[in-house]
Amino acid sequence: MGAPVLVINSGSSSIKYQLVDGETMEASTSGLIERIGQSDSVLTHRHAGERAVREGRLADYGEGLEAMVAAFEDAGTPLADAGLIAVAHRVVHGGERFVQPVVVDDEVERAIDELSALAPLHNPANLEGIRTARKLFPKLPQVAVFDTAFHATVPERAHLYAVPSAWREEHGVRRYGFHGTSHAYVSRKAAEMLGKSPKAVNVIVAHLGNGASVTAVERGRSIDTSMGLTPLEGLVMGTRSGDIDPAIVFHMHRQTGASFADLDAALNKESGMLALSGHQDNRAIERAAAAGDRAAQVALEIYCYRIRKYIGSYIAALGGADAIAFTAGIGENSAEVRAQALSSLVALGVDLDEAANAAGGPVISTPQSPITVMVIPTNEEGEIASQTAALLRS
Amino acid sequence: MGAPVLVINSGSSSIKYQLVDGETMEASTSGLIERIGQSDSVLTHRHAGERAVREGRLADYGEGLEAMVAAFEDAGTPLADAGLIAVAHRVVHGGERFVQPVVVDDEVERAIDELSALAPLHNPANLEGIRTARKLFPKLPQVAVFDTAFHATVPERAHLYAVPSAWREEHGVRRYGFHGTSHAYVSRKAAEMLGKSPKAVNVIVAHLGNGASVTAVERGRSIDTSMGLTPLEGLVMGTRSGDIDPAIVFHMHRQTGASFADLDAALNKESGMLALSGHQDNRAIERAAAAGDRAAQVALEIYCYRIRKYIGSYIAALGGADAIAFTAGIGENSAEVRAQALSSLVALGVDLDEAANAAGGPVISTPQSPITVMVIPTNEEGEIASQTAALLRS
Ligand SMILES: Nc1ncnc2c1ncn2[C@@H]1O[C@H](COP(=O)(O)OP(=O)(O)O)[C@@H](O)[C@H]1O
Ligand SMILES: Nc1ncnc2c1ncn2[C@@H]1O[C@H](COP(=O)(O)OP(=O)(O)O)[C@@H](O)[C@H]1O
């Protein structure tokens, strides 16, 4: 391995990890620790086609990461011998300050902590992972890579909301955008597939996973993205509403007396595809729709219609696009979602090749299509490792 | 006059009225009563180039409408001799029930009252106007014409929000859309200018006044529109934010403790162009921008960028458009807004004729432009009178 990086993605009760080469962006090992803090924690470790599972309580992130170290040892590839150049952490919110990856010190830790006001669900968990890893690997640089950073180039016309100035100036209210490492990676790959420099093309990336966002990438730079201050805005997602009339919040409070916390939870956790179809997982929704379930059919129609409208608006924002790239769980795997999202876009320069789409691409538009449409598997951990290696080289 | 209709638009402390021919859609008289309930009420009456002003307290809508009747008499054109076929009332919210104009009876009054939950700022005032006019003109049919009605054809994919089912099923949460009479009138006029039947063309209408909305009209039917449950969603407006991350509401509550009512008022009355530039009126903003005021320049850039994105998304929603029509105060008068909103749309089929745009149209695209762009003065009162006459004929 050229530049082995341990990439850590800490959630509220889980840790995902990968050992990735920062040069080739390939992972040799990956793992998932779930239900941290509960009695039935599970660690699943994958290496060279082998899968090892460890069950039993892991009280906290510290015990979780120690179990990870043990799992590497048990697999015969101890981390101590891996030649790690760094531990890299995915951090959701970098605010206006962190527009590049950064080596973590106490001051950076404090800044990430302060940014928890903008991402109360995510940054505290990310920070806990960082703190724990700093103790466990005191000699290695710990690098924070931010989901928001790729969108630091979004100009005022797209990142400012028309809300009172105090909200913008004192309370950090602006569009930040998320899924940045995925949009960065996929838009670069799309340019590569076109045989062009990223600086020579305009690409629209649709990242469709449990969370979902679309980004307009102009000559390598993000100029607009559908998520906003938080990951709630934009496309319909598994459990998030995406775009709504903000007055719905006031209306529902008047109607039911629901509190801010109730409404926040409802829009983030009980809305989206779950609210429309009863299912959160796209595979279940497609199965139900195929079996004739009308709610599931309508949910898919709404889901795809919203993607289609964002594509149209970003073609307008970019003044024309060279490529549209689909990525993440749904974008990579659902030919049906891609086809519906791209239907009736001929007037905008999208000519879908139905057979290629059904086959999964990578190119799913016809050779004559003015806009090339692609399916590109994302690699967020690879991108994080690569950015980390680049930072440490510089 | 063929079918004289007295059209009344009642606001929270004002009444606008026009005497309109429901056949030609032309107004012979118009008036405005302001500051009803205050000591300095003013009635301004215009007829045949003459303007009459009456100052002094008008305690309520009853006194206001009586002063209107007197003003018609003073002008030598008493309403009693006008041969009125009806009094028509603009009503903002018709909910799911009112998808056509309707003759008002007690039951309709109650229904409009119940719809106040969806439009607490508007429907109560509209209803007060209706009640007062029914007393004053007991022999005339009173007709309610709804701002939402033209959007009754918006399909599920565009009118459903991905929010919990109880919100949709029990609390009326869906996209309704507004400015319906304007979008109906202008889209029909646009088809006329193309020399085609409305059923043969797709038109995007940008109604840009103090409130602003864009509508996608497919073969004469509204299939999507930017305002939603309330007029808050969509474009940036004079004092309304338009689209934002709904989580901004939760964030600002956590940051400042602001209440639902505070945040509702802030987004409806202290946001939009006012918050971005310090001015609510487009003329003041354009003047400030021309004088080098950076906030005003950025505000205009955001305003136009949002219009551009909606146009792109509606071209995608329609699968291609034949015409784009600009209307209302800003749409009819600001060549600068139109030019900025249409910039970089060549890839989508818009080729602006700059000289024609500067001259105010009516057609402002080049003869080669795949999409014809037009400036069309709206005529909401004419449309209301015409729909009223049609209802009474039927
Ligand atoms: N073969 C498939 N066909 C359709 N949808 C799929 C398929 N595989 C995964 N998905 C969907 O992808 C989504 C998860 O995407 P993923 O990118 O893994 O999410 P996350 O945002 O958590 O990383 C789920 O809705 C899942 O149903
Ligand atoms: N000549 C003009 N140039 C630019 N803007 C104008 C001009 N005339 C009117 N406007 C703008 O039109 C807006 C009011 O539009 P209007 O359709 O009258 O509003 P309403 O929604 O209240 O009916 C204001 O922002 C005003 O500045």
Side-chain angles (χ1 to χ4, degrees):
Chain A
M1 267 204 170
V5 177
L6 179 65
V7 178
I8 290 183
N9 183 351
S10 314
S12 59
S13 66
S14 70
I15 299 175
K16 290 188 205 153
Y17 59 86
Q18 281 194 15
L19 180 59
V20 187
D21 186 325
E23 281 164 18
T24 64
M25 299 174 77
E26 270 162 32
S28 59
T29 310
S30 69
L32 170 63
I33 314 171
E34 292 169 284
R35 294 193 285 282
I36 295 170
Q38 298 181 37
S39 59
D40 57 346
S41 314
V42 186
L43 183 152
T44 313
H45 187 88
R46 290 165 204 272
H47 173 72
E50 300 283 312
R51 178 166 158 277
V53 176
R54 173 207 180 285
E55 294 180 329
R57 178 172 173 81
L58 295 167
D60 53 25
Y61 282 61
E63 290 190 11
L65 289 188
E66 276 165 21
M68 169 192 76
V69 170
F72 272 97
E73 267 163 27
D74 294 349
T77 57
L79 277 175
D81 302 344
L84 287 183
I85 61 163
V87 182
H89 299 266
R90 176 190 181 210
V91 179
V92 165
H93 219 305
E96 293 203 299
R97 167 163 173 186
F98 295 112
V99 303
Q100 299 285 347
V102 62
V103 175
V104 177
D105 58 19
D106 292 348
E107 200 273 323
V108 168
E109 261 193 20
R110 269 195 305 277
I112 293 173
D113 193 21
E114 280 163 20
L115 287 166
S116 292
L118 291 169
L121 298 175
H122 297 105
N123 272 31
N126 302 155
L127 189 58
E128 187 63 20
I130 291 174
R131 288 192 170 127
T132 310
R134 284 183 83 191
K135 275 183 219 139
L136 200 63
F137 307 100
K139 302 220 168 110
L140 282 174
Q142 309 281 328
V143 173
V145 180
F146 301 89
D147 252 27
T148 46
F150 182 59
H151 303 298
T153 49
V154 171
E156 276 178 324
R157 66 174 179 277
H159 82 234
L160 286 180
Y161 293 110
V163 297
S165 57
W167 298 19
R168 292 178 271 127
E169 286 157 20
E170 292 161 32
H171 302 294
V173 173
R174 54 162 284 178
R175 179 181 311 284
Y176 292 99
F178 300 90
H179 292 143
T181 49
S182 179
H183 290 295
Y185 173 80
V186 172
S187 60
R188 223 173 45 234
K189 279 274 155 194
E192 227 171 73
M193 283 173 64
L194 290 172
K196 302 236 171 118
S197 150
K199 296 224 164 90
V201 291
N202 292 343
V203 180
I204 295 168
V205 179
H207 176 110
L208 310 176
N210 283 313
S213 65
V214 198
T215 296
V217 183
E218 182 177 64
R219 303 178 178 281
R221 294 155 61 96
S222 169
I223 61 146
D224 208 343
T225 189
S226 59
M227 286 178 164
L229 174 74
T230 78
L232 180 58
E233 192 177 357
L235 297 175
V236 173
M237 309 179 215
T239 65
R240 294 191 200 117
S241 64
D243 297 325
I244 59 169
D245 185 335
I248 289 174
V249 170
F250 310 128
H251 176 71
M252 286 308 302
H253 169 70
R254 281 194 308 265
Q255 293 282 108
T256 67
S259 69
F260 285 97
D262 295 340
L263 293 163
D264 189 346
L267 289 173
N268 275 292
K269 296 183 186 154
E270 298 150 28
S271 292
M273 297 302 272
L274 178 63
L276 289 173
S277 73
H279 306 283
Q280 159 174 0
D281 190 287
N282 179 259
R283 279 163 298 200
I285 299 166
E286 291 196 7
R287 265 196 305 274
D293 178 333
R294 172 141 167 74
Q297 289 164 353
V298 171
L300 278 174
E301 213 190 315
I302 296 171
Y303 186 82
C304 297
Y305 180 66
R306 297 277 190 102
I307 299 169
R308 178 154 31 125
K309 288 205 290 180
Y310 265 103
I311 289 175
S313 77
Y314 285 172
I315 293 176
L318 291 164
D322 302 285
I324 299 170
F326 285 85
T327 194
I330 301 170
E332 292 165 28
N333 295 298
S334 174
E336 186 178 334
V337 163
R338 292 190 304 256
Q340 260 204 60
L342 296 170
S343 68
S344 318
L345 288 183
V346 178
L348 288 94
V350 175
D351 188 21
L352 189 69
D353 178 333
E354 299 204 3
N357 182 44
V363 171
I364 61 172
S365 51
T366 64
Q368 316 78 259
S369 180
I371 299 178
T372 305
V373 187
M374 304 156 178
V375 177
I376 300 179
T378 193
N379 186 359
E380 296 179 83
E381 287 79 8
E383 179 70 20
I384 289 172
S386 161
Q387 291 190 15
T388 298
L391 174 72
L392 295 179
R393 269 198 310 271
S394 69
Chain B
M1 268 204 171
V5 177
L6 179 65
V7 178
I8 290 183
N9 183 349
S10 314
S12 60
S13 66
S14 70
I15 299 176
K16 289 187 204 153
Y17 59 86
Q18 281 193 16
L19 180 59
V20 186
D21 185 325
E23 281 165 18
T24 65
M25 300 174 77
E26 269 162 32
S28 58
T29 310
S30 68
L32 172 62
I33 314 172
E34 293 170 284
R35 293 194 285 284
I36 295 170
Q38 297 180 37
S39 59
D40 57 346
S41 314
V42 185
L43 183 154
T44 313
H45 187 87
R46 291 165 202 271
H47 173 71
E50 300 282 311
R51 178 166 158 276
V53 176
R54 172 207 181 287
E55 294 180 329
R57 177 173 174 80
L58 295 167
D60 53 24
Y61 282 61
E63 290 191 10
L65 289 188
E66 277 165 20
M68 171 193 74
V69 170
F72 272 96
E73 267 162 26
D74 294 348
T77 56
L79 277 175
D81 302 344
L84 288 182
I85 61 163
V87 182
H89 298 266
R90 175 190 181 212
V91 178
V92 165
H93 218 304
E96 293 202 300
R97 166 161 173 188
F98 296 112
V99 303
Q100 299 285 348
V102 62
V103 176
V104 178
D105 58 20
D106 292 350
E107 200 273 321
V108 169
E109 261 192 22
R110 269 195 305 278
I112 293 173
D113 193 21
E114 279 163 19
L115 288 166
S116 292
L118 292 169
L121 298 175
H122 296 105
N123 271 31
N126 303 154
L127 189 57
E128 186 63 21
I130 290 174
R131 288 192 170 128
T132 310
R134 284 183 83 189
K135 276 183 219 139
L136 201 62
F137 307 101
K139 302 221 170 109
L140 283 174
Q142 309 281 328
V143 174
V145 180
F146 300 88
D147 253 27
T148 46
F150 183 58
H151 304 297
T153 49
V154 171
E156 275 177 325
R157 66 174 180 277
H159 83 232
L160 286 179
Y161 294 110
V163 297
S165 58
W167 299 18
R168 292 178 272 125
E169 287 157 20
E170 293 161 32
H171 301 294
V173 173
R174 55 162 283 179
R175 180 181 309 285
Y176 293 98
F178 301 90
H179 292 141
T181 49
S182 180
H183 290 294
Y185 173 80
V186 171
S187 60
R188 223 174 45 235
K189 278 273 156 196
E192 228 171 72
M193 284 173 65
L194 290 172
K196 303 237 171 114
S197 150
K199 296 224 166 92
V201 292
N202 292 343
V203 180
I204 296 168
V205 179
H207 176 110
L208 310 176
N210 283 314
S213 66
V214 197
T215 296
V217 183
E218 183 177 63
R219 305 178 177 281
R221 294 156 60 95
S222 171
I223 61 145
D224 207 344
T225 189
S226 59
M227 286 177 164
L229 175 73
T230 78
L232 180 58
E233 192 177 356
L235 298 175
V236 173
M237 308 178 217
T239 64
R240 294 191 199 117
S241 64
D243 296 326
I244 59 169
D245 185 335
I248 289 175
V249 170
F250 310 127
H251 176 71
M252 286 308 302
H253 169 70
R254 282 194 307 266
Q255 292 282 108
T256 67
S259 69
F260 285 98
D262 295 340
L263 293 164
D264 191 345
L267 288 173
N268 275 291
K269 297 184 185 154
E270 298 150 27
S271 292
M273 298 301 272
L274 179 64
L276 289 172
S277 73
H279 307 282
Q280 161 175 355
D281 190 288
N282 180 259
R283 279 163 299 200
I285 298 166
E286 290 195 8
R287 266 196 305 273
D293 179 333
R294 173 141 165 73
Q297 289 163 355
V298 172
L300 277 174
E301 214 190 315
I302 295 171
Y303 186 83
C304 297
Y305 180 66
R306 296 277 190 103
I307 299 169
R308 180 158 24 129
K309 287 204 290 181
Y310 265 103
I311 289 175
S313 78
Y314 286 172
I315 293 177
L318 291 164
D322 300 287
I324 299 170
F326 285 87
T327 195
I330 300 170
E332 292 166 27
N333 294 298
S334 174
E336 187 179 332
V337 164
R338 292 191 304 257
Q340 259 203 61
L342 297 170
S343 68
S344 318
L345 288 183
V346 178
L348 288 93
V350 175
D351 189 20
L352 189 69
D353 179 334
E354 299 203 3
N357 182 45
V363 171
I364 62 172
S365 50
T366 64
Q368 315 78 258
S369 180
I371 300 178
T372 305
V373 188
M374 305 156 178
V375 177
I376 300 179
T378 192
N379 185 0
E380 297 178 84
E381 287 79 8
E383 179 70 21
I384 289 172
S386 160
Q387 291 190 14
T388 297
L391 174 70
L392 295 179
R393 268 198 310 272
S394 69

